[in-house]
């Protein structure tokens, strides 16, 4: 149910693994119907009310997804961060190159944040293509560092535009990616869900919506798992709005705002790692 050794190595090196048709057609259709029912109420579903969506909640605690996430996290505990869901209709605009790794400021990639991408109807080159930049999850950069390139293919681009319904892609959240617009194909729609999990070991920025603690509490009440007590643990996160406020107007090297360290703990000359 988890990842093979080959898949683990691919994720480590390239930053993603694709599981074609991981969700059954019946299950994919059931989730799509749920999204259809709510699209008029929340046309831009942002995850605050996810506990009201039974089929989406099922995806959050899907046994196969959690087993694969265990493998990616190396056995460390992890916490649910958010779930987005959308129905993309023909004429969907593209999204420029970016990554989704939550860190204020961006300084390292010591811990894993994972995005689990669900394509209920698959992709066939009509409504929108997924573009990936393999190995970019190793780099440290602003989310929008490559956005000036728009949706154009750049050297090394992998184009995902031919995957069957129910395909799930496990991607490191620091992997740079884009959505390339396509003109559409009849009445076909692009059902898309992403679920994010954070590896234990550091405090992560919270979900960037008001009421994120309430969302986690509601999810824990609905889906609590004794075997995974930290899955909806709000103490894993700090409030991102507070962090951004503290950063506002800060200049110079932020390292100089940190506590001093003993001389014995400092790297020797010539061995200082690159961290920017």
């Amino acid at each position: 149910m988890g990842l093979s050794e080959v898949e683990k190595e691919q994720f480590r090196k390239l930053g993603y693994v694709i599981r074609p048709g991981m969700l059954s057609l019946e299950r994919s259709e059931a989730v799509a119907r749920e999204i259809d029912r709510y699209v008029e109420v929340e046309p831009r579903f942002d995850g605050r009310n996810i506990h009201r969506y039974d089929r989406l909640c099922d995806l959050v605690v899907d046994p196969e997804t959690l087993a694969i996430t265990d493998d990616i996290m190396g056995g460390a505990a992890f916490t649910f961060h958010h779930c987005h869901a959308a129905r993309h209709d023909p004429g969907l605009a593209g999204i420029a190159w970016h990554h989704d790794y939550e860190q204020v400021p961006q300084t390292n990639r010591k811990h894993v944040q994972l995005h689990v991408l669900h394509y209920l109807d698959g992709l066939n080159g009509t409504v929108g293509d997924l573009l990936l930049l393999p190995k970019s999850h190793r780099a440290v950069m602003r989310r929008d560092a490559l956005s000036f390139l728009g949706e154009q293919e750049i050297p090394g681009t992998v184009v995902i535009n031919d995957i069957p319904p129910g395909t799930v892609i496990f991607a490191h959240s620091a992997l740079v990616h884009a959505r390339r617009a396509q003109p559409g194909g009849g009445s076909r729609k692009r059902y898309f869900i992403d679920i994010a999990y954070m590896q234990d070991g550091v405090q992560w920025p919270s979900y960037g919506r008001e009421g994120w603690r309430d969302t986690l509490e509601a999810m824990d009440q609905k889906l609590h798992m004794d075997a995974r007590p930290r899955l909806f643990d709000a103490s894993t996160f700090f409030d991102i709005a507070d962090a951004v406020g503290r950063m506002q107007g800060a200049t110079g090297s932020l390292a100089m705002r940190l506590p001093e360290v003993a001389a014995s703990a400092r790297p020797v000359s010539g061995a200082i790692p690159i961290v920017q």
Side-chain angles (χ1 to χ4, degrees), residues 135-149:
K135 303 181 182 181
S136 58
H137 63 300
R138 304 179 187 179
V140 180
M141 66 182 81
R142 284 174 51 111
R143 290 171 179 265
D144 61 352
L146 299 183
S147 63
F148 69 96
L149 295 170

Side-chain angles (χ1 to χ4, degrees), residues 100 115-119 130 132 167-171 177 192-195:
D100 295 305
H115 267 65
V116 184
L117 313 178
H118 303 75
Y119 293 90
L130 173 65
L132 303 177
T167 291
V168 180
I169 299 177
F170 294 81
H177 59 285
F192 171 73
I193 300 157
D194 77 73
I195 300 172

Side-chain angles (χ1 to χ4, degrees), residues 8 38 41 45 61 104 112 114 120 127 169 173 211-212 252 267:
K8 290 178 185 177
Y38 288 99
V41 179
F45 172 75
V61 294
V104 184
V112 178
L114 175 69
L120 303 181
V127 180
I169 299 177
S173 300
W212 59 271

Side-chain angles (χ1 to χ4, degrees), residues 4 18 60 85 101 145 164 210 221:
S4 67
I18 301 175
V60 171
Y101 193 83
E210 296 291 338
Q221 290 178 356

Side-chain angles (χ1 to χ4, degrees), residues 199-233:
Q199 186 180 44
D200 198 13
V202 293
Q203 266 202 310
W204 294 88
S206 67
Y207 177 59
R209 301 290 187 277
E210 296 291 338
W212 59 271
R213 290 186 180 88
D214 296 333
T215 297
L216 289 172
E217 181 180 357
M219 290 291 282
D220 197 35
Q221 290 178 356
K222 184 182 182 78
L223 301 167
H224 181 80
M225 304 177 73
D226 289 338
R228 298 179 183 273
R230 292 184 57 83
L231 190 57
F232 304 105
D233 186 357

